[in-house]
Amino acid sequence: MGFGPGAIPVVEKILIIGGNAAGLTAASRAKRIDPRLRITVLEKTPHISYSTCGIPYYFAKAVRADDLLSYTPESFEEERGINVHNNTRVDSIETGRKRVKTVRVDTGEQAEFFYDRLLIATGVKPKIPDIPGTDLKNVFTVTNLQEAIQTNNALESSSTVSIIGAGYVGLEFAETLHAVGKQVHLFEREPQVLPSVDHDMAQIIHYELERFGVRVTVGAKILALVGHEGNVNGVKAAGGIGIQPADMVLLDTGVEPNVDLARDAGVQIGVSGAIAVNASMETNMPAIYAAGNCAESYCPIRRRPTLSYLGTVAAKQGRVAGDNLAARRSEFYGAIGTTVLKVFDLAVARTGLSVREAQAEGMPVVESRIEALDRAAYYPTAKKIWIKLIAGRDTRKLIGAQVVGYGDAARRIDVAATAITAGMRVDELSQLDLAYSPPYGALWDPLLVAAQALSRRLD
Amino acid sequence: MGFGPGAIPVVEKILIIGGNAAGLTAASRAKRIDPRLRITVLEKTPHISYSTCGIPYYFAKAVRADDLLSYTPESFEEERGINVHNNTRVDSIETGRKRVKTVRVDTGEQAEFFYDRLLIATGVKPKIPDIPGTDLKNVFTVTNLQEAIQTNNALESSSTVSIIGAGYVGLEFAETLHAVGKQVHLFEREPQVLPSVDHDMAQIIHYELERFGVRVTVGAKILALVGHEGNVNGVKAAGGIGIQPADMVLLDTGVEPNVDLARDAGVQIGVSGAIAVNASMETNMPAIYAAGNCAESYCPIRRRPTLSYLGTVAAKQGRVAGDNLAARRSEFYGAIGTTVLKVFDLAVARTGLSVREAQAEGMPVVESRIEALDRAAYYPTAKKIWIKLIAGRDTRKLIGAQVVGYGDAARRIDVAATAITAGMRVDELSQLDLAYSPPYGALWDPLLVAAQALSRRLD
């Protein structure tokens, strides 16, 4: 074999739109596999490579904004050999010529970047509720570090903060803003906090919030944010609640995949609303990949693509995209919505499908809930946890788990997530050989007790 | 259908030898399934239903002896409707007449008990090393609560304690006796502490012991325990170590299955030295079952029966035995040696096979070890852990894991144990959807990073 014309090594140009979990993981991975690749990352905000999940702890002054940043554009370039352009917004993708057109957010300067392969990792954008007053001063969404810094600056002069939406972020904000002395009022449209867990588990969280003095209004219909001289000063809700004072409002009213750029370029959007991808993170367009929260995530329980707004999933998809951008074939196996969350002294964790989600899929399920201590009862640090397990009625396979409590919830949810991923039946789960010694667990781990309880209900 | 002669309900007599994890779990389970059963438990010591694993924390005065007892014989009888005879030693099993002969340890009174079905749950007995001086005063084995109370009483007047054997129990004793102000010297015959983990992980434990002032001698050959006027006052070791002072000696030199009674009755003993059982915990003799640490435990990795000296396994086997004693068919799926252990500030956990154990089985393996923080680096409580993963070279399946560190080791070992049980390949493991938020974990859980590292070595 000689070097034919087709075998001449060509430096390939990889272009990545989006400089956070998915985009930078893909860039780093591709460069590691093939150091010859010329990789360029375009990021519209000033910051790259920061922990979005750490923002609540920045508000609580537990960490500094700088701590959340793993790299500056300069340090990332230098350490990884990857070009980074921050403050650079992509306005269009021309798939025929394989180029994108950009504009500098700070200077207005226009430019073009060519690619051999393109990764779209544009993440999400906030859904702003369709009510009057969201444009008032001191009303914030917090979906990136830039917004977080602006919000934090405004926090100094605020004492009463309303949070609209009691999802993960809303609950974390409630705790961390309370920790720095704010009066917090949490509004949720659904009849419970944290709609991704079932009602009975949400009640425990609701109690914890009120125990620490957070005002919680569920089933809230917000009519408007009201203000004075352009500044927000209250939240107007239906149902006799009237106007509640607030000198700052945080909106945690959901996000949606940021897919306008992709759609305009002819990239297929799935029924979920995110970019359709195969297991190698390829879109329908040649040489165009998508990863992270702008892309669909395969759910092995539902056996169909779903939305995911988790950094863990974005990073994993980014890694797979990086493999394939560097021409190493690899596949993303999917994700099942595993999360953990701190709400004051309570750990809240979930994985797989809730009962409500299973019902929405038409899956017949059986559930069981237990209350237990997370380690030997006589050991001084033993703490209470509640575990709910959900299994397919016919398959006996575990399909969901929720753990809430003052003890170690993350450990049990990770085991449940592993069991779900492996397609484990409740019977096998109930005999798992889990670690025990009095400082760290119970002879019968609460998860095993929960599996036994569920097994009885399946018989 | 009428009542034929065969259908007349008969009260069946279940007899159980041994009143701890396996025996009492079996008794409770059988009674729960079939409340008509007449169940009798025979226990040779004064105590039933206590946490053997809690004994080190009793020495440390973190818990009282009473706290370790879940039930007295009286309270167990009353609550469960199960007869309990403590201080009752079984001297023989007559399988033909289906009876056992007993003697009261305290009064010498003899008796007979008849059974329809018999469970042998006689646990283990200590292996006493064949050296002079083990019969001196203040030399103890601690395999049950009675011995623990005697040891604890003698602790008051001891200041220098030598522990022979650095297995789980020896290490826990080293910590807890140090905590109550004793000078502790730990001797281990093998060239490392905790031989059930690989040498590199054991080094971290060794360092932690010495950091807290425990003297550690590995590769120790003990020649004799020496004494004065019948009391131990030193440990004599070969290799220039000479006689080390000790006014108390604890022997953690191993245990062996307590199978004399079973063997004498014609029950088959496996090549491991424990009672051979099938998955329903039946022995070779009709109507005779065995469970707990006197019985073999199936290892799904080695695909053969092994010894197990863990309370978790004893309890699980007891539950399965209880099912089958009550004529409900169930099976024990096996155990893979998952344990966790506290050694001062260090958590030490392992599951599956170590590299050495895999080599002993002739299994070709690949291993990988990483060092990581157990949660987001910027979060104040982040702590260091080391993770070692071991996979089959050809199968790519995870077969072992070891986690040592100042952070959360139990969580990762439980996930690894679940993955091993499910037969998961390292590639799937490296993409597991594990829970993350900064207070509880890392975006890339250290276990995923370890799996990625192992995956690279397998390629």
Side-chain angles (χ1 to χ4, degrees):
Chain A
M1 309 225 318
F3 282 109
I8 292 172
V10 174
V11 175
E12 294 211 72
K13 294 185 296 298
I14 307 289
L15 194 60
I16 295 175
I17 309 176
N20 214 343
L24 291 192
T25 304
S28 303
R29 179 71 176 160
K31 189 74 180 177
R32 181 174 186 157
I33 292 173
D34 187 352
R36 300 166 311 171
L37 293 173
R38 279 173 51 192
I39 304 179
T40 303
V41 176
L42 308 175
E43 164 59 40
K44 71 177 174 191
T45 76
H47 309 291
I48 64 158
S49 185
Y50 56 87
S51 169
T52 311
C53 305
I55 289 172
Y57 307 96
Y58 160 56
F59 289 167
K61 303 191 193 305
V63 299
R64 295 170 306 140
D66 281 356
D67 296 331
L68 298 180
L69 290 161
S70 300
Y71 292 96
T72 62
E74 295 72 28
S75 69
F76 192 81
E77 282 192 350
E78 187 162 338
E79 186 173 310
R80 303 280 167 107
I82 292 165
N83 303 310
V84 178
H85 298 262
N86 62 342
N87 291 313
T88 300
R89 192 182 69 222
V90 176
D91 280 344
S92 65
I93 302 168
E94 296 178 5
T95 57
R97 304 184 65 174
K98 287 194 165 181
R99 70 173 178 188
V100 308
K101 291 192 167 179
T102 64
V103 64
R104 287 280 307 190
V105 176
D106 44 359
T107 64
E109 190 186 344
Q110 296 188 341
E112 291 177 351
F113 292 84
F114 287 85
Y115 63 83
D116 294 301
R117 287 182 213 138
L118 176 71
L119 174 65
I120 301 173
T122 45
V124 294
K125 58 185 176 186
K127 279 196 256 186
I128 308 295
D130 187 21
I131 53 170
T134 57
D135 54 344
L136 287 164
K137 200 153 168 278
N138 281 351
V139 177
F140 295 96
T141 58
V142 187
T143 47
N144 60 45
L145 186 57
Q146 197 174 16
E147 290 178 346
I149 292 168
Q150 290 159 0
T151 307
N152 193 53
N153 292 339
L155 260 181
E156 298 299 320
S157 55
S158 306
S159 64
T160 306
V161 182
S162 279
I163 301 170
I164 315 291
Y168 296 101
V169 177
L171 290 175
E172 286 177 337
F173 285 160
E175 177 189 345
T176 52
L177 294 183
H178 179 274
V180 288
K182 310 300 176 193
Q183 270 201 287
V184 179
H185 193 155
L186 187 60
F187 293 89
E188 169 59 48
R189 184 174 57 180
E190 299 288 324
Q192 65 172 68
V193 297
L194 201 61
S196 65
V197 303
D198 288 316
H199 186 76
D200 52 345
M201 303 302 268
Q203 291 300 97
I204 303 166
I205 307 167
H206 192 124
Y207 172 81
E208 183 74 356
L209 289 160
E210 293 190 333
R211 186 167 80 90
F212 277 84
V214 172
R215 278 196 65 187
V216 182
T217 305
V218 293
K221 180 163 170 48
I222 307 295
L223 301 174
L225 307 182
V226 296
H228 179 69
E229 295 181 350
N231 290 309
V232 76
N233 70 359
V235 174
K236 186 178 177 186
I241 298 168
I243 294 177
Q244 296 294 319
D247 45 30
M248 177 185 265
V249 173
L250 297 184
L251 298 176
D252 175 33
T253 47
V255 292
E256 58 191 332
N258 208 354
V259 298
D260 296 342
L261 199 57
R263 184 188 285 117
D264 290 348
V267 173
Q268 189 191 329
I269 309 302
V271 286
S272 70
I275 299 170
V277 288
N278 65 13
S280 299
M281 312 313 295
E282 293 168 326
T283 70
N284 65 312
M285 304 283 287
I288 301 186
Y289 299 73
N293 297 343
C294 66
E296 290 188 331
S297 168
Y298 179 73
C299 171
I301 307 170
R302 298 177 175 93
R303 300 188 182 188
R304 62 173 172 81
T306 52
L307 295 173
S308 169
Y309 299 134
L310 298 171
T312 48
V313 176
K316 287 186 186 101
Q317 288 190 340
R319 193 167 192 270
V320 172
D323 282 339
N324 289 282
L325 285 168
R328 175 183 291 185
R329 206 73 189 163
S330 83
E331 296 198 339
F332 176 62
Y333 298 135
I336 55 175
T338 312
T339 52
V340 64
L341 170 71
K342 182 174 180 296
V343 183
F344 293 98
D345 294 342
L346 210 57
V348 176
R350 57 95 66 213
T351 188
L353 271 54
S354 67
V355 169
R356 196 162 41 167
E357 286 168 341
Q359 285 164 349
E361 299 291 320
M363 295 172 68
V365 294
V366 173
E367 62 178 300
S368 171
R369 194 180 90 165
I370 65 146
E371 178 183 316
L373 291 171
D374 72 336
R375 60 203 75 198
Y378 56 78
Y379 200 80
T381 59
K383 296 201 183 78
K384 193 178 280 187
I385 61 176
W386 290 264
I387 299 184
K388 180 179 202 165
L389 296 181
I390 302 155
R393 197 179 58 205
D394 308 319
T395 62
R396 301 181 75 93
K397 284 184 180 176
L398 188 70
I399 64 154
Q402 296 164 38
V403 185
V404 171
Y406 299 99
D408 192 345
R411 177 175 170 192
R412 278 80 196 192
I413 218 66
D414 276 356
V415 171
T418 308
I420 292 171
T421 302
M424 202 174 263
R425 287 180 305 117
V426 172
D427 316 82
E428 298 165 279
L429 182 68
S430 72
Q431 283 196 25
L432 274 181
D433 190 4
L434 303 179
Y436 162 61
S437 85
Y440 298 118
L443 182 68
W444 286 103
D445 190 275
L447 193 68
L448 303 180
V449 177
Q452 291 168 4
L454 183 54
S455 179
R456 281 194 292 276
R457 295 206 160 192
L458 283 161
D459 288 336
Chain B
M1 310 230 316
F3 284 107
I8 292 170
V10 174
V11 175
E12 294 211 73
K13 293 185 296 298
I14 307 289
L15 194 59
I16 295 175
I17 308 176
N20 215 342
L24 292 191
T25 304
S28 303
R29 180 70 177 161
K31 189 74 181 177
R32 182 173 185 158
I33 293 173
D34 187 352
R36 298 165 312 169
L37 293 173
R38 278 173 49 192
I39 303 179
T40 303
V41 175
L42 307 175
E43 165 58 40
K44 71 178 174 190
T45 76
H47 309 290
I48 65 159
S49 186
Y50 57 87
S51 169
T52 310
C53 305
I55 288 172
Y57 307 95
Y58 160 57
F59 289 166
K61 303 190 192 306
V63 300
R64 295 171 306 140
D66 282 357
D67 295 332
L68 298 180
L69 291 161
S70 299
Y71 292 96
T72 62
E74 295 71 29
S75 69
F76 192 79
E77 284 192 349
E78 186 161 338
E79 188 173 308
R80 304 280 168 106
I82 292 166
N83 304 310
V84 178
H85 298 263
N86 62 342
N87 291 314
T88 301
R89 191 182 71 222
V90 176
D91 280 343
S92 66
I93 303 167
E94 296 178 4
T95 57
R97 303 183 67 174
K98 287 194 164 181
R99 71 173 177 187
V100 308
K101 290 194 166 177
T102 64
V103 61
R104 287 280 306 190
V105 176
D106 44 359
T107 63
E109 190 187 342
Q110 297 188 341
E112 291 177 350
F113 292 84
F114 288 86
Y115 62 83
D116 294 301
R117 285 180 216 142
L118 175 71
L119 174 64
I120 301 173
T122 44
V124 294
K125 59 185 176 187
K127 279 197 256 187
I128 307 295
D130 187 20
I131 53 170
T134 57
D135 54 344
L136 287 164
K137 200 153 168 275
N138 280 352
V139 177
F140 295 96
T141 58
V142 187
T143 48
N144 61 45
L145 186 56
Q146 196 175 15
E147 290 177 345
I149 292 170
Q150 289 159 1
T151 307
N152 193 53
N153 292 340
L155 260 181
E156 297 300 321
S157 54
S158 307
S159 64
T160 306
V161 182
S162 279
I163 300 170
I164 315 291
Y168 296 101
V169 177
L171 290 175
E172 287 177 337
F173 284 161
E175 178 189 343
T176 53
L177 295 183
H178 178 275
V180 289
K182 310 300 176 190
Q183 270 201 287
V184 178
H185 193 153
L186 187 60
F187 294 90
E188 168 59 48
R189 185 174 56 179
E190 300 286 325
Q192 64 171 70
V193 299
L194 200 61
S196 65
V197 304
D198 288 317
H199 187 75
D200 53 343
M201 303 302 269
Q203 291 300 96
I204 303 166
I205 307 167
H206 192 124
Y207 172 81
E208 183 74 357
L209 289 161
E210 292 190 334
R211 187 166 79 91
F212 277 86
V214 172
R215 278 196 64 189
V216 182
T217 305
V218 294
K221 179 164 171 48
I222 307 295
L223 301 174
L225 306 182
V226 296
H228 178 69
E229 295 181 349
N231 290 308
V232 77
N233 70 359
V235 174
K236 186 178 178 187
I241 298 167
I243 293 176
Q244 295 295 319
D247 45 29
M248 177 185 266
V249 173
L250 298 184
L251 299 176
D252 175 33
T253 47
V255 293
E256 58 192 332
N258 208 354
V259 298
D260 297 341
L261 199 58
R263 183 189 283 117
D264 291 348
V267 173
Q268 190 191 329
I269 309 302
V271 287
S272 71
I275 300 169
V277 289
N278 65 13
S280 299
M281 311 315 293
E282 292 168 326
T283 70
N284 65 312
M285 304 283 288
I288 301 187
Y289 299 73
N293 297 344
C294 66
E296 291 188 331
S297 169
Y298 179 74
C299 170
I301 307 170
R302 296 178 177 93
R303 301 191 182 184
R304 63 174 171 80
T306 52
L307 295 174
S308 169
Y309 299 134
L310 299 171
T312 47
V313 177
K316 288 186 186 101
Q317 288 191 340
R319 193 167 193 268
V320 172
D323 282 339
N324 289 283
L325 286 168
R328 175 184 291 186
R329 206 71 188 165
S330 82
E331 296 198 341
F332 176 63
Y333 298 136
I336 56 175
T338 313
T339 52
V340 63
L341 169 72
K342 182 174 180 297
V343 183
F344 294 98
D345 294 342
L346 211 56
V348 176
R350 55 95 66 213
T351 187
L353 270 53
S354 67
V355 170
R356 196 162 41 168
E357 287 168 340
Q359 284 164 349
E361 300 290 319
M363 296 172 68
V365 295
V366 173
E367 62 177 301
S368 171
R369 194 180 91 165
I370 65 147
E371 178 183 317
L373 291 171
D374 72 337
R375 60 203 75 198
Y378 56 78
Y379 201 80
T381 59
K383 296 199 182 80
K384 193 176 281 188
I385 60 175
W386 290 265
I387 299 185
K388 180 179 200 164
L389 296 181
I390 302 155
R393 197 178 58 203
D394 308 320
T395 62
R396 298 182 76 94
K397 285 184 180 175
L398 188 71
I399 65 153
Q402 296 164 38
V403 186
V404 171
Y406 299 98
D408 192 344
R411 176 175 171 193
R412 278 80 196 193
I413 218 65
D414 276 356
V415 170
T418 308
I420 292 171
T421 302
M424 201 173 264
R425 287 180 306 116
V426 172
D427 317 83
E428 298 164 278
L429 182 68
S430 71
Q431 283 195 25
L432 273 181
D433 190 4
L434 303 178
Y436 162 61
S437 87
Y440 298 118
L443 182 69
W444 287 102
D445 190 275
L447 193 67
L448 304 180
V449 177
Q452 290 169 3
L454 184 54
S455 179
R456 281 194 293 276
R457 295 203 160 197
L458 283 161
D459 288 336

